[in-house]
């Protein structure tokens, strides 16, 4: 009698979200986890630090490095939050919804733009002042859509409601409560388009990128009467789907882009070149969105990783994804119900990372040492479990023959953090598998993790049946961190 020998096949528990066009091609997903040092680890949790208002939602946040405080906009109200995290109202703006954009000059002026008007908060005057601005050019009012500070100027894009919306503008300090136009406006030149936003290029000194709806241009500050001049040798053939997705790190500028010939794609530039970050699968997902313009994004750095997080918050789209620049991979992130992640406008303040929420009027602390989503300010609050999910790559035989899965095992940290704020917890891992190309998954088989001090690091699942394709799905539950390594399936 011939006895068949088992064969070991790797199961990539450590992996990202691949966004295959069809589930048969790939349904690899990773929710609320990312890869660090070739291990799969938990993405940041959050905890409410301050309820700023009983109603409304967050629209923008800004860390004033020179002033040492935060500016936060909730609905139409502008708050200043000092290092004791006590909010103080400093003014109101004329709109109640949509992102706001904030930057600061060297004259203690902070400019706030809500897509319709600009406001100047001067924290150096006595008393401090909050003043609406009327921005004019040739007796025609300019409606700003975006603001960015660069080399002593506030640079404004033009809202689509502006008369001369092809122009962008440089304004400078006038009085402690006002700013004034410097020279003439600068029109987009490469294509007939609207100059929606201007963003300084990190590490590029005098250069800025100007983005319309289908094109981008690089401009250089040359000084004198001309002030800014377009770089003739380079332009970007993608504009902005949503101004709110425009974000800059210390190296890159990213945004959700499009042009007249293509659907949405996630774009990146360092000022010398541009490229699409999104893969074919990501572009397909973006192409299926109903309201891609209802989106927001930010850069976020944690534990040495730089993330670009983008959220499509319309209920018909309901999607948040991150791109990790360290690994060049995408991952899904979500709230506790697997809906979009609530973070908007992340800031680093007092050595902590905070965000305001798309869903309420509170300030949240965000950190990988927070292992739940906690919507309470109470110290003893446990918070909600974070759904951490990994759907692995499908395993198939090269010759398409059927095989029996005798055992699946993988490595996972155990026995190190089975207490949450002094309370004992019993974390577990739910395993299920698909044998039909990810169309459906089996019943769940649960394994409780070891208690404190028991460090055995493998989970084993036996006798998983016959198939000709095999996909593992793992769900990690518990008020703790999870650290996982790849696994192995023994097949016959």
């Amino acid at each position: 009698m011939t006895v068949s020998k088992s064969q070991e096949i790797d199961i990539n528990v450590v992996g990202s979200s691949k966004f295959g066009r069809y589930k048969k091609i790939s349904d690899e997903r990773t929710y609320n986890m990312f890869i660090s040092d070739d291990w799969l680890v938990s993405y940041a949790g959050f905890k409410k630090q301050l309820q700023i208002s009983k109603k409304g939602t967050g629209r923008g946040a800004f860390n004033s490095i020179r002033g040492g405080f935060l500016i936060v906009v909730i609905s139409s109200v502008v708050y200043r939050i000092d290092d004791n995290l006590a909010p103080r109202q400093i003014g109101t703006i004329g709109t109640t919804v949509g992102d706001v954009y904030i930057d600061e000059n060297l004259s203690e002026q902070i400019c706030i733009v809500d897509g319709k008007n600009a406001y100047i908060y001067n924290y150096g005057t006595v008393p401090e002042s909050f003043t609406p601005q009327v921005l004019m050019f040739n007796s025609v009012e300019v409606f700003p859509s975006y603001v960015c500070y660069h080399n002593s100027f506030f640079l404004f894009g033009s809202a689509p409601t502006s008369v001369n919306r092809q122009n962008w503008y440089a304004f400078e300090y006038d009085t402690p409560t006002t700013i004034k136009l410097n020279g003439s406006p600068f029109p987009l030149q490469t294509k007939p388009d609207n100059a929606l936003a201007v963003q300084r290029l990190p590490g590029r000194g005098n250069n800025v990128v100007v983005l319309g709806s289908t094109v981008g241009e690089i401009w250089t500050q040359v000084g004198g009467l001309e002030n800014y001049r377009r770089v003739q040798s380079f332009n970007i053939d993608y504009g902005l789907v949503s101004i709110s997705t425009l974000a800059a790190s210390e190296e890159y500028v990213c945004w959700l882009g499009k042009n007249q010939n293509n659907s949405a794609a996630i774009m990146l530039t360092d000022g010398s070149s541009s490229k699409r970050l999104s893969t074919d699968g990501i572009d397909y997902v973006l192409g299926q969105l109903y309201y891609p313009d209802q989106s927001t994004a930010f850069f976020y750095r944690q534990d040495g990783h730089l993330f670009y997080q983008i959220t499509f918050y319309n209920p018909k789209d309901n999607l948040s994804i991150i791109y990790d620049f360290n690994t060049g991979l995408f991952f899904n992130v979500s709230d506790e119900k697997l809906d979009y992640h609530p973070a908007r406008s992340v800031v680093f303040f007092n050595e902590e990372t905070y965000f305001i929420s798309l869903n309420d009027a509170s300030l949240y602390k965000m950190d990988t040492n927070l292992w739940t989503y906690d919507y309470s300010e109470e110290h003893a609050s446990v918070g909600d479990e974070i759904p951490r999910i990994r759907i692995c790559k499908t395993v198939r035989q090269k010759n398409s023959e059927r095989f029996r899965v005798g055992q699946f095992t993988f490595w996972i940290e155990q026995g190190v953090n089975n207490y949450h704020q002094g309370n004992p917890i019993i974390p577990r891992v739910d395993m299920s598998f698909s044998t039909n190309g990810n169309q459906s998954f089996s019943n769940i088989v649960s394994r409780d993790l070891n208690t404190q001090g028991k460090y055995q690091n493998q989970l084993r699942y036996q006798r998983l049946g016959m198939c000709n394709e095999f996909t593992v799905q793992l769900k990690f539950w518990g008020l703790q961190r999870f650290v996982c390594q790849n696994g192995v399936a023994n097949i016959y």
Side-chain angles (χ1 to χ4, degrees), residues 86-117:
R88 174 166 59 87
Q89 181 176 336
I90 58 172
T92 59
I93 60 178
T95 59
T96 59
V97 296
D99 282 71
V100 298
Y101 310 100
I102 311 171
D103 217 334
E104 177 179 16
N105 65 13
L106 299 177
S107 301
E108 300 178 323
Q109 292 180 321
I110 294 176
C111 185
I112 301 170
V113 165
D114 63 358
K116 184 178 180 181
N117 294 297

Side-chain angles (χ1 to χ4, degrees), residues 302-416:
Q302 179 73 59
D303 303 338
H305 286 250
L306 178 65
F307 300 102
Y308 177 73
Q309 180 168 322
I310 184 168
T311 292
F312 302 92
Y313 50 82
N314 186 282
K316 295 193 71 173
D317 296 324
N318 196 19
L319 173 68
S320 294
I321 55 178
I322 58 173
Y323 179 81
D324 183 353
F325 280 84
N326 291 54
T327 59
L329 298 172
F330 284 94
F331 303 85
N332 288 79
V333 291
S334 72
D335 69 0
E336 70 282 0
K337 299 177 182 178
L338 287 176
D339 292 327
Y340 63 79
H341 195 281
R344 170 189 257 172
S345 197
V346 163
V347 292
F348 188 72
F349 178 65
N350 280 355
E351 304 303 318
E352 303 285 359
T353 300
Y354 298 96
F355 69 82
I356 56 171
S357 174
L358 288 158
N359 298 333
D360 63 27
S362 297
L363 184 73
Y364 291 85
K365 178 182 173 181
M366 185 176 182
D367 197 284
T368 50
N369 290 321
L370 297 172
W371 301 324
T372 65
Y373 292 153
D374 195 342
Y375 297 92
S376 171
E377 294 179 71
E378 296 180 7
H379 176 72
S381 173
V382 173
D384 295 323
E385 283 185 296
I386 300 174
R388 306 193 189 277
I389 302 171
R390 171 61 184 157
I391 302 176
C392 303
K393 183 179 180 180
T394 299
V395 170
R396 300 180 179 93
Q397 292 277 58
K398 291 183 179 180
N399 59 8
S400 300
E401 287 186 354
R402 290 174 62 79
F403 55 88
R404 181 184 300 276
V405 182
Q407 176 179 267
F408 162 63
T409 182
F410 73 101
W411 287 261
I412 182 170
E413 180 188 57
Q414 297 192 65
V416 295

Side-chain angles (χ1 to χ4, degrees), residues 447-459:
R447 293 282 188 272
D448 290 340
L449 298 189
N450 293 336
T451 55
Q452 195 84 18
K454 296 183 179 180
Y455 302 115
Q456 293 89 342
N457 60 1
Q458 281 189 321
L459 292 183

Side-chain angles (χ1 to χ4, degrees), residues 111-285:
C111 185
I112 301 170
V113 165
D114 63 358
K116 184 178 180 181
N117 294 297
Y119 306 81
I120 292 293
Y121 168 60
N122 192 316
Y123 56 90
T125 58
V126 181
E128 62 188 14
S129 57
F130 188 89
T131 312
Q133 304 296 299
V134 179
L135 309 181
M136 303 292 294
F137 171 68
N138 282 350
S139 302
V140 177
E141 187 171 1
V142 175
F143 299 111
S145 58
Y146 190 85
V147 64
C148 175
Y149 175 76
H150 181 253
N151 289 3
S152 78
F153 299 102
F154 283 127
L155 306 182
F156 295 100
S158 291
T161 53
S162 293
V163 173
N164 298 302
R165 53 188 180 273
Q166 75 279 4
N167 292 336
W168 61 277
Y169 303 83
F171 278 73
E172 61 185 348
Y173 176 89
D174 183 23
T175 72
T177 60
T178 61
I179 53 178
K180 64 180 180 180
L181 181 66
N182 177 278
S184 300
F186 310 98
L188 272 176
Q189 299 175 5
T190 308
K191 293 182 181 180
D193 202 349
N194 304 331
L196 297 175
V198 187
Q199 175 63 52
R200 59 181 176 270
L201 286 166
R204 294 287 173 175
N206 291 339
N207 288 0
V208 298
V209 57
V210 182
L211 290 165
S213 59
T214 61
V215 72
E217 298 175 347
I218 307 299
W219 289 65
T220 299
Q221 187 184 37
V222 295
L225 294 177
E226 187 178 8
N227 203 355
Y228 285 87
R229 179 186 301 160
R230 185 172 73 86
V231 174
Q232 302 288 330
S233 59
F234 174 66
N235 70 276
I236 302 167
D237 203 33
Y238 275 82
L240 284 162
V241 175
S242 166
I243 299 175
S244 304
T245 63
L246 179 60
S249 71
E250 64 269 31
E251 299 179 67
Y252 310 109
V253 175
C254 280
W255 69 97
L256 183 67
K258 68 172 183 179
N259 61 25
Q260 65 268 34
N261 299 317
N262 297 292
S263 59
I266 298 174
M267 299 297 300
L268 172 144
T269 186
D270 61 2
S272 61
S273 63
S274 64
K275 68 176 183 179
R276 290 166 53 243
L277 284 183
S278 47
T279 62
D280 291 348
I282 291 286
D283 285 351
Y284 176 74
V285 171

Side-chain angles (χ1 to χ4, degrees), residues 433-452:
F433 59 91
S434 174
T435 59
N436 58 12
N438 307 303
Q439 298 302 317
S440 62
F441 284 83
S442 69
N443 293 332
I444 289 172
V445 180
S446 296
R447 293 282 188 272
D448 290 340
L449 298 189
N450 293 336
T451 55
Q452 195 84 18

